Amino acid sequence: MKRFFRLIFTTALVFLLFSCLENTDARTISVSGSGAVQVIPDRAVLELSVVTWNPSVSVASNENAALMTKVQKALESAGVPKDSYSTSNYSIRREVSYVNGRSVPGDYRASNVLNVVLTDITGVGEVIDAAISAGANELSSLNFTVSDSSEYMEEARRLAVEQAYEKASVLAEASGSKLGRVMQISEQSYTQPLYKSNLMVTAEADAATPVQAGKQDITVSVNVLYELK
């Protein structure tokens, strides 16, 4: 019985050694490929803020609440449903300045940030103008996105793999080899943001806000390891 187990162990060890030798002798080639698909966004996400200052914390807070109520009513009048906006951040802090190396307390600053999602991107400028006229005085960000990018991601993946295969085929042929099986593949994907801003806006602006979505790039990159024959 011991001799039988010893034989099994020896056979397994020999098989493992041969496997290691085969892996060591295997020739491979590593290439990268990328694919990009341009799409037209169908959704806009913006952050509008109401910021107020006052020596009294309660006055700063109450003024902020009153203005934000006006902003929300203006959004509804512009056709934005209630479930399309929500408060993303609210804060109150006291401003501090430094004079001759000493800290001097200033006014209280109340900030209420509203996250707004628009499915009709043709009216983004009008929505921004309505919010500004009602009392919003800060536009933190504006991004255009695609609500469902899965189809475009799949197409970008195919393009990336095809490019990697073409590269590997040329390199293999130039070296007198043939491509074998795919041994390893990894992916990186990203979406190029179309528009971002970080600016203060004022209610005195007379001109309508021009906003153009443009096109969005969805890109996938792959690294592929091929076996060489």
Side-chain angles (χ1 to χ4, degrees), residues 34-37 152-161 218-220:
S34 63
V37 178
Y152 308 109
M153 289 288 292
E154 290 179 3
E155 178 62 22
R157 287 189 182 100
R158 281 192 286 267
L159 293 174
V161 172
I218 295 178
T219 304
V220 172

Side-chain angles (χ1 to χ4, degrees), residues 7-65:
L7 179 61
I8 294 178
F9 176 80
T10 304
T11 304
L13 182 60
V14 171
F15 178 80
L16 179 61
L17 289 174
F18 273 109
S19 298
C20 292
L21 289 174
E22 288 179 0
N23 291 336
T24 303
D25 295 337
R27 296 189 305 152
T28 61
I29 181 173
S30 178
V31 294
S32 62
S34 63
V37 178
Q38 277 197 337
V39 299
I40 298 176
D42 58 2
R43 187 174 66 168
V45 181
L46 59 147
E47 283 191 339
L48 291 163
S49 303
V50 171
V51 183
T52 54
W53 294 265
N54 198 279
S56 168
V57 63
S58 59
V59 173
S61 176
N62 292 336
E63 289 180 350
N64 192 287

Side-chain angles (χ1 to χ4, degrees), residues 47-149:
E47 283 191 339
L48 291 163
S49 303
V50 171
V51 183
T52 54
W53 294 265
N54 198 279
S56 168
V57 63
S58 59
V59 173
S61 176
N62 292 336
E63 289 180 350
N64 192 287
L67 287 174
M68 180 53 76
T69 299
K70 291 181 180 179
V71 170
Q72 292 181 0
K73 289 182 178 179
L75 291 177
E76 292 176 26
S77 298
V80 181
K82 285 186 177 181
D83 58 357
S84 294
Y85 61 83
S86 59
T87 301
S88 61
N89 186 43
Y90 182 82
S91 63
I92 300 177
R93 71 170 187 266
R94 193 167 194 178
E95 303 282 82
V96 178
S97 60
Y98 291 89
V99 179
N100 298 325
R102 299 177 58 186
S103 60
V104 179
D107 290 346
Y108 286 94
R109 181 183 187 271
S111 175
N112 194 341
V113 184
L114 200 65
N115 183 274
V116 185
V117 180
L118 303 176
T119 54
D120 180 11
I121 63 175
T122 60
V124 174
E126 288 78 3
V127 170
I128 293 176
D129 291 339
I132 293 172
S133 298
N137 53 4
E138 186 173 325
L139 175 62
S140 303
S141 67
L142 170 59
N143 295 295
F144 292 98
T145 62
V146 179
S147 55
D148 185 7
S149 61

